[in-house]
Amino acid sequence: MHQHRHACGCGRPGTTHSATKPLCALPGATPVRLNIKAATPVQPECSGGCCEADSSPGGDGNEEGDRRGSWHFSWRVSGMDCPSCARTVETAVSQLPQVVRTRVVFASEKLLVDASDDIAAAVEQAVARAGFSLVSETTPPRPASRWRENQTLLILAVMMLASFTLSRFMPHWGDMLFIATTLTGLWPVARDAWRRARSGSPFTIEMLMSVAAAGALLIGAHAEAAMVLLLFLLGERLEAFAAARARSGVTQLMALRPENAVRLNGEVRETVALAALRPGDVIEVAAGGRLPVDGRLLSNEASLDESALTGESLPVTREKGDALLAGATSVDRLIQLEVTSKPGESAIDRILTLIEEADSHRAPVERFIDRFSRIYTPLIMLLAALVMVVPPLLGFGAWLPWIYKGLTLLLIGCPCALVIATPAAITSGLAAAARQGALIKGGAALERLSQIRAIAFDKTGTLTQGKPQVAAVLCFATLSQDELLALAASVEQGSTHPLAAAIVAAARERQLTLPSASQQVTLAGSGIAAQVDGAQVELLSPGRVDVLTAAQRAQIVEQEEQGQTLVAILRDGEPLGALALRDNLRADAQVAVTALKKMGIESMMLTGDNPRAAAAIARELDIDFRAALLPPDKVDAVRALGQQQPLAMVGDGINDAPAMKAATIGIAMGSGSDIALETADAALTRDALPLLPSLVALARRTRATLRQNIAIALGLKALFLVTTLLGLTGLWLAVVADSGATALVTANALRLLRTRRE
């Protein structure tokens, strides 16, 4: 799978064509993966023969053909204050006939478009007609002009003060100035309402305000019409400030990634862009500098500040060969490292991708509120029209009072507070989790995490250190301990399993010569087999071996009762001996289990290890356990436990991935395998089990905050609906209620960011 830098293979920057040239067929061409730059059309990923033929848009019209011929665009959107603005942009762009898919990521202010043709100019025009502007992602943001942002509000405030003052001495001229003030404030609001209506979004807050202010002018409520617009513009600025605060976490994260890196080419140092770096390149990072990509340390030692990524405030010491994450800071020395991540795939890039994808994994309540808000505004406008017309027609009063009440209802019906109630809480919760050292894949996962009542742990690498050591070598045949260990190590070479690494490390420590092994086959949950000197050598769990004698089993049981894990070694079906390995409990495992128990969460261990070794670990933690489980057995156990109560599965290995997928929510340890990290709904960026109770507590606070926000938004509207119909509140109080509700739900959500770590 690969992507092309340009729409064709000509290699000329800034040149685009309607068809892809056969770049893959060029001699020496190598697949590369590139960042998609803003407003730069990029032909899609292809495989097989797509590069051998013209792949210009407009194939056979089927879905796959459209997807193969799509162009991908990305911009930064300016001018968005709330999620409803993002929806307006999406609606405007999706109406273009060539658009296949469009999505606005409010958290990072990004517009992503897939299209069947190069329609960059058409997208920019559509967004401009909707009242927003697009900026290339590669263009550095301009410093905000406070005067430009606030000039309408300031002018309106001055005119409002002048109108009020003049009306005290010259009522007639004061009233005229109120009308002029209203028209001054109404013009930009009505213009935005018209733009968004033309773009396919007629029911917006701007439309509600325009109708209400114009109606107030017509019935003679000039001062209140001006006040409505002043309060509305003030609320808009407050929303913009709150949105900027909510996005600050993403902005700070993007700032962790330097624009350039110093690459070493022999003795030559050259400064290159991050997109030019490839795995295998050697780069240099000065003291105090941030790592631009993931890499492997080439220097003998380094002290790194990883707090921006893991939440750990103290610098950590890394040795030569250790893996390093982009965004970490070299504390005290110049270091060299080998690049291991492809462009766009570093730790920071992966976090940003998770944030961008969070919208597609929204919590059920968030999706419900989004659907509800789409019909809420039209219903409010219909209700307001009925209030204006029906009572006077039925003889329940004069027209003007009921029209005034209907206009007030329009303002009460503003959906801003309701629309922002859930995403503000979810985004703050996800950002707070990232600060603590955990990545959660969207609001749906955060909501499921808040509901769990039990956690199932894998043993090796999760509850234990994952760094077992060979404690004893049992010989059943004529081979010596060294010969047996060398034979086992030759079979295990290349395996990533912790037990395999321990066996190989023990053989190297004894400086043993390893025989050559071939045809290695991993037996999931059972062991590994290979051909050594023409014989079939197997390393298996003793429980999977039927040919052991009673004396041999007695030796194995004796070791297992000490909490050790045994691996039986067979050659052509004959038992040669066994290796006893010990994996110590994590120092923080007991703290985490105890904290979870205080929160009412049960803990259980699921392991493929033998029951006696598992029992020794479980006794130390005072938890239940199930042992000797193959990967399918773990899945069955997780499903059975999950039917009783919401269950989280915590693991780090490939064999844990199916069980994590079957659980209510899967949580991966940060040092786990790539498959486990990709399968999991959440991941700990540092191996600290006490993060789990802290994470669950944060999820529960987020759910409570979300419910509080919905109650505030709907409760205030219900209260002012009743007081309006009773004639107790008017237009300007309705706006105060809406702006106040928006400010309250935003401030309530931002409290999650200030929550101290558990």
Side-chain angles (χ1 to χ4, degrees), residues 87-116:
R87 190 186 307 138
T88 299
V89 174
E90 282 185 355
T91 302
V93 175
S94 62
Q95 291 182 338
L96 296 175
Q98 300 96 332
V99 170
V100 176
R101 179 174 177 265
T102 181
R103 184 162 63 96
V104 174
V105 184
F106 180 68
S108 56
E109 298 181 284
K110 186 180 291 186
L111 169 64
L112 305 172
V113 177
D114 295 344
S116 59

Side-chain angles (χ1 to χ4, degrees), residues 248-257 308-309 348 351-352 355:
S248 62
V250 177
T251 305
Q252 292 169 7
L253 188 60
M254 295 176 70
L256 295 179
R257 184 175 48 189
L309 290 171
I348 296 175
I351 295 172
L352 290 171
I355 293 173

Side-chain angles (χ1 to χ4, degrees), residues 590-607:
Q590 185 64 65
V591 175
V593 170
T594 301
L596 290 170
K597 187 178 295 185
K598 290 180 179 179
M599 298 172 66
I601 297 175
E602 301 176 16
S603 296
M604 171 177 285
M605 182 173 67
L606 304 179
T607 178

Side-chain angles (χ1 to χ4, degrees), residues 100-145:
V100 176
R101 179 174 177 265
T102 181
R103 184 162 63 96
V104 174
V105 184
F106 180 68
S108 56
E109 298 181 284
K110 186 180 291 186
L111 169 64
L112 305 172
V113 177
D114 295 344
S116 59
D117 203 349
D118 183 359
I119 58 168
V123 172
E124 292 173 354
Q125 291 174 5
V127 173
R129 284 197 300 269
F132 301 92
S133 59
L134 297 179
V135 183
S136 169
E137 287 187 284
T138 58
T139 303
R142 295 180 178 179
S145 170

Side-chain angles (χ1 to χ4, degrees), residues 448-533:
R448 292 198 302 272
L449 182 62
S450 70
Q451 299 168 350
I452 65 166
R453 292 293 178 269
I455 294 183
F457 292 91
D458 172 52
K459 181 178 80 70
T460 304
T462 303
L463 289 175
T464 62
Q465 295 175 0
K467 297 178 180 178
Q469 296 178 337
V470 175
V473 181
L474 309 180
C475 298
F476 300 155
T478 58
L479 293 183
S480 67
Q481 288 189 0
D482 284 355
E483 291 173 327
L484 194 63
L485 183 58
L487 185 63
S490 67
V491 175
E492 292 284 18
Q493 276 198 111
S495 174
T496 59
H497 194 281
L499 295 182
I503 293 171
V504 174
R508 288 176 177 169
E509 186 177 339
R510 299 189 186 191
Q511 299 181 344
L512 303 178
T513 301
L514 306 185
S516 177
S518 61
Q519 301 180 28
Q520 281 126 322
V521 178
T522 299
L523 310 173
S526 299
I528 189 171
Q531 290 284 326
V532 180
D533 295 333

Side-chain angles (χ1 to χ4, degrees), residues 190-214:
R191 180 189 58 196
D192 289 344
W194 172 245
R195 286 175 174 173
R196 296 177 188 187
R198 284 200 313 164
S199 300
S201 302
F203 301 108
T204 60
I205 175 58
E206 288 79 11
M207 183 63 73
L208 290 177
M209 289 296 161
S210 299
V211 173

